[in-house]
Amino acid sequence: MKLELQGITKVFGSLVANDHIDLVVEPGEIHALLGENGAGKSTLMNVLYGLYDPDDGQILLDGSPATFKGPGDAVSAGIGMVHQHFMLVPVFTVAESVALGYEPTGAGGVLRLEEARRRVREISDRFGFQVDPDARIEDLPVGVQQRVEIIKALSRDAQVLILDEPTAVLTPQETDELIRIMRELKESGTSIVFITHKLREVRAIADRITVIRRGTVVGEASPTSTETELASLMVGRSVSLTVDKEPAQPGEATFEVENLSVVAPNGTVLVDDISFDVRAGEILCVAGVQGNGQTELAEVILGIEEPDSGSVRLDGEDLLGKGVKERLRSGIGFVPEDRSTDGVVSSFSIAENLVLDLYDTQPFARGVSMSPAKVTANAEQRTEEFDVRYTSVHDPISTLSGGNAQKVVLAREMSRPLRLLVASQPTRGLDVGSIEFVHRRVVAERDRGTPVIIVSTELDEVLGLADRIAVMYRGRIVGIVDAKGEDGAPVNRDVLGLMMAGVPLEDAQRQAAEHHSVLGAADLGDDGPRPAAEGETRHTSAEGETRHTSAPASTEERP
Amino acid sequence: MSDQTPGHTPERPDAGEEQSVAATPPGETGGPTVREQERPGVLQQILGGSALMSVLAVVLALFIGGLLIAFADEDTREAATYFFARPLDTISAGWTAMAEAYVAMFRGSVFDWQAATFAGAVKPLTESMVFAIPLILAGLGIAVGFRAGLFNIGAQGQIIVGAIVAAWLGFAFDLPPVIHLLVAILGGAIGGAVWGGIPGVLKARFGANEVIVTIMLNYIAVYLISYILKQPGFNPGRTGQRSPAVSPDATYPLLVPQWLWPDNGFRLHWGFVVAILATVFVWWLMERSTVGFQIRAVGANPAAARTAGMSVGRITVITMVVAGALAGLAATGQVLGTERSLTAGVAASFGFDAITVALLGRSRPWGTFFAGLLFGALKAGGFLMQSLTSTPIDIVLVVQSLIVLFIAAPPLVRTVFRLPDPDRRRRRKAGPGTTPQEATA
């Protein structure tokens, strides 16, 4: 089915989310929609999926206009969508999930689950999904849950499949598997609209790339463009994808974690007996797919979560048993993973958010009485220093963009003299400009001699920032590797990817030498001296080849 | 997520969207710790509204109340029997009924131009203020709770306990003037604070839901007061209805003394000054003190407050103690000022009306103050309305309920008055529907 969007416009108040966007998706093509967060990609797809009414423009299916009053219309017209956050009921089985919404019924309205099971098996076999129709959703790994979503869309005869940031929750190997599936679907004639802001993936699989910036189409690009070209198109100016930093000058190990374990009330081991240290003036990146214990580790360091065993020491003194307030004030800077939940109070003003931790200390308060003038003065100074763009420091922080809000959090956490900086996902959801800024600040803090822990799920960020990398998988540290080997060459990203799937370091190195991932292949022919482009040295035989590393992906199946 | 209906809050597209909260391999790591969703979304929405919305809600409620008055009116109904012959009769009869009722209400609550003396003409306003005292004070208590994200339904019980303590200190002791009053006031505040502190501690220590606990404590307080009124010391007339009168030393003096304005007949007492002072105090507490900063932070985002080193439990207790103390002060307005003894019905429905007052005042101190005045006026005016017109006083309750209803449904009011939706550009909080993390949790 050929899909055409003509002049789609969607306005929210004074914000023009989509400004006369034209898009043509040919049958059987993988069309990437590339743009930064906030560029209007999701809005456009929500219009296409019938969730929003466009203010102007029309949708053409095979040349004839179509209007969608809701997702139901879109689905029956052959459009399927896999949301970034899956729409699955955790206690349902795969077959029940797929049946949900179009339940096949027999006489008297009895649900014919067998029919749904058959559909799941049929689609699963056809595309090699390896999904058991009777498995419960909550027991499935994320990558498989995503396949269930795809099956769901396909079972309704979707001819155009929209994938909204599908790789955000996947390991690199699961991403490879997804890419394989996307190719299979393409072979069978399904068109795919692939929404992302990850340049590497776009180059690996897209047939055509449409770049959106601030609600308008700024251009089409071919998959052969370099990442730097794509990034510049996406951001609207030339960008540097590298993190400029001097080699670390690490000192003593001032922060030590020993045999740390965290067990959830239900008995699940969240952090499993981990030990590591961080030296003054070095950045340790904790890499891993979301939900492998990194969050809990960071929370234990801050004191929000109590460990069940182990010790955490800063400058030789035990942190456990101290309150959050005490730890913060003794010199721990903490940038939480989820800014809007843990980092800021969105209804508070920028100025108030900047003193969220020190509100009752001099000079912001005397006794119990606060001094608004001092709070304002502090805000003006900090926002200047951290280049926060705002209208007034008394505006709620929710009026700021993600990047500026994150700068506020950084400004707050770095305004105290620090003995340790812990930042979780410091650049998640930020635009390229803000990412550069945040990285520069983090490196500056390191160069001041502070031990820094960065928790990140983005391999590019890990490779760009880290001096050492600890990879976590299911609560354990799979291994700690130096970001640069003895020969000065950066660590292979395939090795890290395999470690993120739980493969021990030596095995990972061996496997990485044998196979080459799709994304690794996309590195080839790149121009820029990018820290992530190191795979090239090992990819000499992989010219144009697109084999995927099947072994780790299949170990991701149900244990 | 269904289709986009007008008035439905559209999420801000894409902007501020994070690919956050990615799913965890479920069943394997057990997922990240589930954070308690302590933020009542409805509360946020109600408190986020503007003063304009409050005013419009009142206007709309009065209008619908007027329609009900018209329908309830005998003449209107009679005229309605031949509505299709002469529709104007019905409309004019209805209009007359409504106008008469509201005019009577105005005369009963603000200014009675038909009174013989000027004092008599102004008296309705002072009556409104008398009724407003407990509403304002208890409303402030509820408002402080709202700001901390706590649904304190227990003002009723806190008023009762405060009243018991204040009345007992008032009639059972003999202390010098002024001091006796201050002791009784303080006792009332402490009584309320203790009753309010219980759910605070239970929530902070054991996670008990404050709504359930405060409702149950209301029942306990109601039976506590009937029990106490049967005790010999509290029950001189053996009726079990009324305690001995509070010593004159322990009562609030009249605000307009007889020597200043003879025969004014006003019941208005210094409790009103206490209400004003409490309003100023609450403003300072919330906007200028470190405690208020924490209360607001905890109320708006407990997770961020905790991450910033605040103790959510401690703030919960403090908030409930402050709320209870304010409700206790409301009680002193009754037992030390208006009624001057403890009666079984001392709390009337002040504790529940106070919730409405706080909602109408958007939990802001001065908003609550004026909302309390309005509700005091409705109460005072209702009496004259009932005696002068055939309109039952219950219509006042209907109007109050409608006000709450409209405040709780801002989109409805916006639709009626064709106002734009201010939330349109609010940042999107969660993606379409829940994240898998929440779903699997």
Side-chain angles (χ1 to χ4, degrees):
Chain A
M1 186 168 66
K2 183 177 175 180
L3 170 74
E4 276 176 274
L5 299 180
Q6 290 182 346
I8 297 290
T9 302
K10 181 70 191 168
V11 182
F12 295 96
S14 60
L15 178 87
V16 184
N18 287 166
D19 189 3
H20 294 92
I21 289 191
D22 298 320
L23 185 73
V24 181
V25 182
E26 301 288 346
E29 109 177 322
I30 298 180
H31 195 119
L33 205 54
L34 184 66
E36 290 197 276
N37 288 293
K41 301 168 302 212
S42 293
T43 305
L44 185 65
M45 288 305 111
N46 284 336
V47 166
L48 175 57
Y49 197 53
L51 287 167
Y52 293 150
D53 273 336
D55 294 319
D56 195 10
Q58 61 175 347
I59 301 167
L60 301 178
L61 297 176
D62 284 332
S64 55
T67 42
F68 302 143
K69 292 272 173 240
D73 291 353
V75 169
S76 49
I79 294 172
M81 184 150 173
V82 176
H83 294 273
Q84 187 180 346
H85 304 298
F86 311 144
M87 308 283 164
L88 295 169
V89 183
V91 296
F92 274 21
T93 65
V94 171
E96 284 168 338
S97 305
V98 170
L100 188 66
Y102 91 116
E103 299 84 355
T105 47
V110 181
L111 182 62
R112 286 192 0 246
L113 213 51
E114 194 43 51
E115 169 70 17
R117 252 189 227 112
R118 197 185 53 74
R119 289 287 281 158
V120 172
R121 231 174 274 124
E122 186 185 297
I123 296 167
S124 177
D125 290 348
R126 194 163 131 214
F127 297 105
F129 281 0
Q130 300 174 347
V131 175
D132 172 10
D134 294 315
R136 264 157 55 113
I137 296 295
E138 58 187 355
D139 298 331
L140 295 174
V142 179
V144 182
Q145 289 190 20
Q146 189 172 55
R147 275 175 243 163
V148 174
E149 284 278 25
I150 295 174
I151 291 176
K152 199 170 156 179
L154 293 178
S155 74
R156 281 157 220 193
D157 303 317
Q159 291 162 49
V160 178
L161 193 61
I162 306 166
L163 302 175
D164 188 1
E165 299 274 4
T167 57
V169 293
L170 304 181
T171 63
Q173 280 71 30
E174 283 177 318
T175 303
D176 278 353
E177 186 67 10
L178 175 70
I179 289 172
R180 184 188 62 77
I181 288 171
M182 286 167 73
R183 292 219 168 99
E184 298 249 0
L185 291 171
K186 175 187 159 182
E187 293 297 307
S188 73
T190 310
S191 322
I192 295 175
V193 181
F194 175 56
I195 305 176
T196 190
H197 67 275
K198 294 188 183 172
L199 308 168
R200 184 183 301 275
E201 294 163 6
V202 166
R203 295 184 55 223
I205 46 166
D207 296 320
R208 275 201 300 157
I209 303 169
T210 297
V211 185
I212 293 187
R213 183 168 77 232
R214 289 190 192 154
T216 52
V217 173
V218 290
E220 288 215 355
S222 89
T224 54
S225 320
T226 65
E227 277 189 41
T228 311
E229 284 166 11
L230 288 175
S232 306
L233 200 55
M234 189 163 97
V235 181
R237 61 182 171 84
S238 66
V239 291
S240 142
L241 293 170
T242 34
V243 181
D244 294 319
K245 65 180 172 90
E246 300 292 311
Q249 307 287 338
E252 298 274 302
T254 55
F255 179 75
E256 295 155 301
V257 170
E258 229 174 293
N259 303 111
L260 192 75
S261 292
V262 179
V263 183
N266 66 7
T268 324
V269 180
L270 301 173
V271 175
D272 193 358
D273 191 28
I274 66 174
S275 302
F276 63 90
D277 54 31
V278 190
R279 292 170 291 181
E282 92 168 336
I283 298 176
L284 176 81
C285 275
V286 178
V289 179
Q290 187 76 32
N292 276 293
Q294 310 98 310
T295 310
E296 288 74 17
L297 172 63
E299 287 182 345
V300 165
I301 296 174
L302 183 66
I304 301 174
E305 179 126 25
E306 283 301 310
D308 292 84
S309 62
S311 70
V312 179
R313 283 193 304 277
L314 178 60
D315 292 329
E317 118 198 58
D318 201 345
L319 285 181
L320 299 182
K322 292 186 174 176
V324 177
K325 191 168 174 173
E326 206 181 330
R327 293 188 207 198
L328 286 173
R329 290 183 187 179
S330 73
I332 297 181
F334 187 83
V335 178
E337 171 181 321
D338 189 338
R339 178 178 53 247
S340 56
T341 312
D342 300 324
V344 299
V345 177
S346 56
S347 58
F348 272 27
S349 70
I350 299 165
E352 285 177 315
N353 270 297
L354 277 164
V355 295
L356 209 55
D357 51 345
L358 296 176
Y359 59 91
D360 60 349
T361 59
Q362 291 275 16
F364 307 124
R366 235 176 304 152
V368 291
S369 186
M370 289 183 74
S371 162
K374 294 278 168 34
V375 172
T376 307
N378 170 69
E380 272 157 9
Q381 192 193 332
R382 296 280 166 234
T383 48
E384 167 83 40
E385 193 183 329
F386 278 79
D387 190 30
V388 180
R389 312 285 166 82
Y390 60 92
T391 321
S392 155
V393 290
H394 300 295
D395 285 345
I397 198 161
S398 54
T399 58
L400 296 187
S401 70
N404 279 310
Q406 186 73 347
K407 285 180 189 171
V408 169
V409 174
L410 282 178
R412 182 180 73 215
E413 297 302 324
M414 293 179 157
S415 60
R416 306 182 294 265
L418 291 185
R419 293 199 289 155
L420 173 70
L421 175 66
V422 182
S424 294
Q425 312 289 5
T427 58
R428 172 183 278 172
L430 302 195
D431 55 277
V432 172
S434 301
I435 291 174
E436 285 175 334
F437 182 88
V438 171
H439 284 172
R440 265 208 316 279
R441 279 285 167 174
V442 168
V443 171
E445 191 63 42
R446 177 200 76 167
D447 292 342
R448 209 168 295 142
T450 310
V452 178
I453 299 174
I454 302 289
V455 177
S456 181
T457 54
E458 300 267 343
L459 258 188
D460 288 331
E461 177 166 79
V462 169
L463 288 162
L465 271 181
D467 297 317
R468 280 196 300 154
I469 302 163
V471 181
M472 280 188 82
Y473 177 70
R474 297 193 189 175
R476 289 178 164 276
I477 289 188
V478 179
I480 301 182
V481 292
D482 286 334
K484 282 204 167 64
E486 277 154 26
D487 51 353
V491 63
N492 184 340
R493 64 180 294 129
D494 285 349
V495 172
L496 287 179
L498 287 163
M499 288 170 76
M500 285 163 78
V503 181
L505 179 58
E506 282 90 42
D507 291 356
Q509 281 170 337
R510 194 168 39 73
Q511 285 188 27
E514 288 167 11
H515 299 283
H516 302 283
S517 70
V518 180
L519 291 183
D523 285 340
L524 290 171
D526 205 316
D527 56 347
R530 205 163 25 77
E534 72 295 332
E536 287 171 51
T537 48
R538 292 179 179 272
H539 284 163
T540 41
S541 67
E543 204 74 48
E545 198 180 6
T546 54
R547 277 157 61 199
H548 66 94
T549 42
S550 56
S554 52
T555 57
E556 271 299 286
E557 299 297 328
R558 303 177 62 200
Chain B
M1 185 151 171
S2 66
D3 55 337
Q4 205 65 35
T5 51
H8 179 105
T9 312
E11 279 120 355
R12 185 172 172 185
D14 222 359
E17 171 199 52
E18 287 125 73
Q19 346 129 350
S20 58
V21 211
T24 167
E28 296 176 10
T29 62
T33 24
V34 183
R35 289 214 179 74
E36 200 188 340
Q37 192 62 51
E38 290 169 89
R39 231 181 309 179
V42 185
L43 194 59
Q44 294 280 322
Q45 197 187 6
I46 292 172
L47 301 187
S50 65
L52 177 68
M53 291 301 293
S54 287
V55 173
L56 293 180
V58 171
V59 169
L60 204 54
L62 284 173
F63 175 72
I64 294 184
L67 289 182
L68 291 176
I69 292 170
F71 285 128
D73 183 64
E74 288 289 329
D75 295 345
T76 317
R77 273 187 295 185
E78 205 180 297
T81 53
Y82 53 91
F83 179 81
F84 291 105
R86 293 165 66 186
L88 278 180
D89 271 17
T90 312
I91 292 168
S92 82
W95 173 254
T96 311
M98 180 170 148
E100 275 177 2
Y102 280 142
V103 165
M105 196 181 262
F106 183 83
R107 279 177 54 206
S109 62
V110 183
F111 188 80
D112 184 1
W113 54 88
Q114 293 180 0
T117 61
F118 183 65
V122 184
K123 188 166 188 289
L125 185 61
T126 66
E127 281 299 298
S128 297
M129 287 157 83
V130 169
F131 281 113
I133 294 167
L135 290 172
I136 292 169
L137 286 165
L140 287 171
I142 305 273
V144 171
F146 280 163
R147 296 293 290 278
L150 296 170
F151 263 112
N152 170 19
I153 313 295
Q156 192 77 1
Q158 291 147 21
I159 290 175
I160 290 175
V161 174
I164 293 172
V165 177
W168 178 66
L169 290 172
F171 68 73
F173 293 85
D174 200 11
L175 295 171
V178 183
I179 292 178
H180 198 176
L181 175 61
L182 291 178
V183 166
I185 294 174
L186 195 64
I190 290 173
V194 168
W195 212 248
I198 295 170
V201 171
L202 289 178
K203 185 179 176 79
R205 291 294 297 274
F206 309 109
N209 183 302
E210 78 279 7
V211 176
I212 295 168
V213 176
T214 50
I215 290 176
M216 294 306 137
L217 283 174
N218 284 346
Y219 283 114
I220 296 174
V222 166
Y223 292 106
L224 183 69
I225 195 172
S226 358
Y227 170 78
I228 283 190
L229 281 172
K230 290 195 174 67
Q231 299 311 300
F234 276 83
N235 189 17
R238 306 213 175 274
T239 56
Q241 290 300 313
R242 184 176 277 272
S243 77
V246 171
S247 151
D249 290 341
T251 55
Y252 285 114
L254 291 176
L255 200 57
V256 187
Q258 290 293 330
W259 55 262
L260 192 69
W261 187 346
D263 300 324
N264 59 37
F266 298 165
R267 295 195 298 155
L268 185 62
H269 51 79
W270 274 76
F272 195 74
V273 176
V274 172
I276 293 174
L277 291 177
T279 309
V280 174
F281 168 77
V282 169
W283 175 83
W284 175 84
L285 179 77
M286 298 311 295
E287 306 298 330
R288 287 287 180 273
S289 79
T290 55
V291 177
F293 187 83
Q294 295 177 76
I295 290 177
R296 288 186 288 128
V298 166
N301 187 345
R306 202 179 291 118
T307 308
M310 298 175 193
S311 164
V312 174
R314 194 172 136 259
I315 291 304
T316 303
V317 175
I318 290 177
T319 307
M320 286 306 295
V321 165
V322 170
L326 286 163
L329 282 181
T332 66
Q334 288 302 98
V335 292
L336 306 179
T338 313
E339 304 202 4
R340 304 187 173 207
S341 67
L342 184 67
T343 57
V346 65
S349 64
F350 291 125
F352 300 113
D353 294 345
I355 299 172
T356 324
V357 167
L359 286 176
L360 182 60
R362 307 284 171 190
S363 291
R364 296 297 184 275
W366 289 105
T368 307
F369 181 85
F370 289 112
L373 273 182
L374 175 74
F375 273 52
L378 285 175
K379 258 194 174 26
F383 292 114
L384 193 68
M385 181 183 75
Q386 181 164 24
S387 58
L388 286 189
T389 68
S390 56
T391 313
I393 196 166
D394 307 298
I395 205 77
V396 169
L397 286 178
V398 174
V399 169
Q400 288 183 6
S401 311
L402 285 170
I403 290 174
V404 181
L405 194 148
F406 288 128
I407 284 177
L412 179 60
V413 176
R414 274 196 296 271
T415 312
V416 170
F417 290 97
R418 302 191 180 281
L419 295 178
D421 185 350
D423 295 340
R424 283 203 141 208
R425 296 202 48 198
R426 185 166 287 179
R427 301 185 65 192
R428 105 192 236 168
K429 281 253 149 43
T434 52
T435 63
Q437 184 177 340
E438 285 160 2
T440 51

